[in-house]
Amino acid sequence: MTDVDPTAGPIAGPTAAVLVIGDEILSGRTQDTNTNTIARFLAALGIDLMEARVVTDDHDRIIEALDALRSRWDYVFTTGGIGPTHDDITADAVAAAFGVALPEHPEALAILARRYGDDFNAARRRMARIPQGGALIANPVTDAPGFHVGNVFVMAGVPRIMQAMLEDVAPRLRTGSVVHARTLKVSGVGEGAVADVLRAAANLRRDLSFGSYPFGHGSVGEIGTQLVIRGRDAGLVEAAAQDLIAELRNMGIDVAAT
Amino acid sequence: MTDVDPTAGPIAGPTAAVLVIGDEILSGRTQDTNTNTIARFLAALGIDLMEARVVTDDHDRIIEALDALRSRWDYVFTTGGIGPTHDDITADAVAAAFGVALPEHPEALAILARRYGDDFNAARRRMARIPQGGALIANPVTDAPGFHVGNVFVMAGVPRIMQAMLEDVAPRLRTGSVVHARTLKVSGVGEGAVADVLRAAANLRRDLSFGSYPFGHGSVGEIGTQLVIRGRDAGLVEAAAQDLIAELRNMGIDVAAT
């Protein structure tokens, strides 16, 4: 289901994408944190998050992004747009993307009826509509469930609810071997001072990924660079880290394993 | 340059997309904040941010996302991948997307040579490569410039540098009429209690957008919903807010303008 060549670089696990749905993210009103939460969740399961998108609460845009992502990656995780109001149109869009109906799901209906009692009105009843063939995702916070259909997992936008839903999603995912990371903290010099060494290491060990993230540039504080080595074989990651440390120290550069 | 129908809803300004480039966002190591910074920057200029994407440090993926976004929206803002290391490939990808060469830019070269003096090595020199026809974007923090070519603005990934670069970008953008927003805080009831009223308001005033964002659900604290009304005509936004307040109070619901 993925077109990634598993022999090219350190990517080898199942792949995934995040689709954040919501005008409030793109208007700048709300800082998205769900993508980061999902990224960490997937990393712990050995699933590679390959892409993330944010779209507005627009039926056609949601479908278009869903179709692009679900055809390319093993899993798609959406957040947002499953509440009771008129701008909550994610379930409609997912049903349309899969070409299925959007009937009331008996179990979802029962859950919502129990939660709301006498206040179970038409707007809240909309949240019981689940694309045909979908399975519910439990919401221990406010009860209104998410759902999964095909390779698409549809979750709430509220971070605390989204995070709780991930617990119910985890057992349904095929996991990969976990990616190991080592971070080296280089002090006193910028990225440009270590770029050649890093490039040589990356060329030598193509089964690992090497990242470089400067800190403190231009300000009065400490200047330096964090080097991150990632890969699925812990021994290779460690060996590369030791080689880099030795090489940088030979150059008189201050480096510490963190 | 946009296929948005300006008569359908409150979208009417120039449009934009954000493209965040970087493995560190998708691995979960780093929480992206640049999208939110750019979203707020654009909102103040009356430019509608329509979409955001995050891709890995992969040449083909960057080009693909760039081409999709630059052909659809008026402006594209990229962050990340313009440093001196081997994983900094944004300039190469932008040049490839536009089908132009990537020569050293004389002014960029002079800026970098001045900054680094005796430490101006080959890796740092890579940062002087600017796609043919590109104009520099000033970087007052660490000097290494961003650039803009066509409708694409290429900026650093480090938030403080990115934010500083926006100052130099602003004068180059066609601005729109600013979007006005009013937020009403509804206390004591969830979204489902106000959904019908909100839907009716949205149906009545199609030139405005109405959002609903619950808070405090399921926890011990205060429960409620924030209603956000947005539009380009301040008078219409205010009138809609007053109507909603009156209607909600008639229903015995506690609502406050914030």
Side-chain angles (χ1 to χ4, degrees), chain B residues 9-23:
Chain B
I11 295 163
T15 59
V18 166
L19 176 59
V20 175
I21 298 163
D23 292 350

Side-chain angles (χ1 to χ4, degrees), chain A residues 29 61 64 72 217 226, chain B residues 29 61 64 72 226:
Chain A
R29 179 180 184 276
R61 298 259 175 253
E64 183 187 278
R72 176 168 243 171
H217 24 242
Q226 292 212 311
Chain B
R29 180 180 182 277
R61 298 260 174 251
E64 183 187 277
R72 175 168 244 171
Q226 292 212 310

Side-chain angles (χ1 to χ4, degrees), chain B residues 54-120:
Chain B
V54 188
V55 296
T56 54
D57 297 316
D58 178 282
H59 188 71
D60 294 342
R61 298 260 174 251
I62 298 170
I63 293 174
E64 183 187 277
L66 263 177
D67 283 345
L69 297 174
R70 74 192 178 94
S71 64
R72 175 168 244 171
W73 311 117
D74 294 324
Y75 299 118
V76 179
F77 300 88
T78 81
T79 73
I82 64 168
T85 60
H86 67 285
D87 56 342
D88 290 308
I89 58 173
T90 301
D92 305 74
V94 172
F98 279 94
V100 299
L102 186 64
E104 287 182 339
H105 188 291
E107 192 186 338
L109 201 59
I111 290 169
L112 292 163
R114 193 163 54 237
R115 172 167 184 102
Y116 290 109
D118 291 346
D119 294 330
F120 191 38

